[in-house]
Structures are given as structure tokens and as C-alpha cells.
Amino acid sequence: MDPRHRDGLLALLALVGLALPLEHDRRRRLRDPGAALAGVGTALAVEWAFLRCPHRLLSVWERPAVNLGSALAVVMGGMLARRRPRLLVAGVWGILTYLGLLARLLRRGEAADNR
């Protein structure tokens, strides 16, 4: 499996794990600008770090225990953070940001393949 597709599936798993503990007022909570900014900023910082030091970080990330364990840790963290909805919302926004960047990257790769 392409690592980008694997990472996308893991991110979707983590997104579901974070979104489920949010109570029935999800829409209102997702509009929290501070939590959204924290999530987007964190996702962009992580991606910047991977671009800055790809050899070091990717060699660690490619280990199955690390990438699968990270997704499971996010899901478990979401379950434990039920009383901290701002953390959950920041996580949701972070994962949505990552999925948006990944979708753009995959679409760009498909466009290059079709030339």
C-alpha cells in the first residue's frame, strides 16, 4: 500500500476517534476559533518539521509500530480527553488540515502522472 494512502486511512481513523467523544453540540464546538487555530497551526508545524528534516523523521515514521501506534494514541487520547472538548476540536482541525494537505498532494501527483 502506498504510504500516503496508509497515512490517510490512519488519519481518518484518528479523526473518527476524536469526533465521536464530542457531544451532540459538535457544530458549535467546531466553530471555536482558538481551538481551530491551534489544530491547524500544530498540523502545519508538524508538516513543516517533516519537510525540514525528512530523512530523520520519515525513517522513524515508516516503522509500523510508530505510525499505527500514533493513530491509536490519538484515538485513545480522544477518549481520555472527553472533558476537554477544546483539545478534541483542536485535534479534529489538525487532522482535517493534514487530510487537506494530503488530498492536495495526491491530486497533484495524479495530475503529473496523467501528463
Side-chain angles (χ1 to χ4, degrees), residues 42-108:
T42 300
L44 293 176
V46 168
E47 290 305 313
W48 177 81
F50 270 90
L51 289 172
R52 185 96 169 126
C53 307
H55 300 296
R56 187 178 310 162
L57 294 176
L58 286 175
S59 67
V60 173
W61 180 252
E62 288 303 318
R63 298 177 193 159
V66 172
N67 54 49
L68 182 58
S70 296
L72 291 175
V74 168
V75 171
M76 294 304 295
M79 297 298 175
L80 294 174
R82 292 179 78 154
R83 294 187 180 167
R84 303 277 188 205
R86 289 190 87 190
L87 289 176
L88 295 174
V89 170
V92 167
W93 277 104
I95 293 172
L96 288 174
T97 301
Y98 169 73
L99 288 171
L101 292 170
L102 181 61
R104 176 73 176 136
L105 178 71
L106 290 173
R107 187 171 179 166
R108 200 161 146 198

Side-chain angles (χ1 to χ4, degrees), residues 3-30:
R4 294 174 295 188
H5 294 140
R6 176 205 60 215
D7 292 349
L9 288 173
L10 290 173
L12 286 173
L13 169 73
L15 180 64
V16 169
L18 287 179
L20 284 178
L22 288 173
E23 306 300 320
H24 46 276
D25 58 346
R26 284 183 188 146
R27 280 187 231 147
R28 182 181 62 83
R29 292 198 185 275
L30 289 173

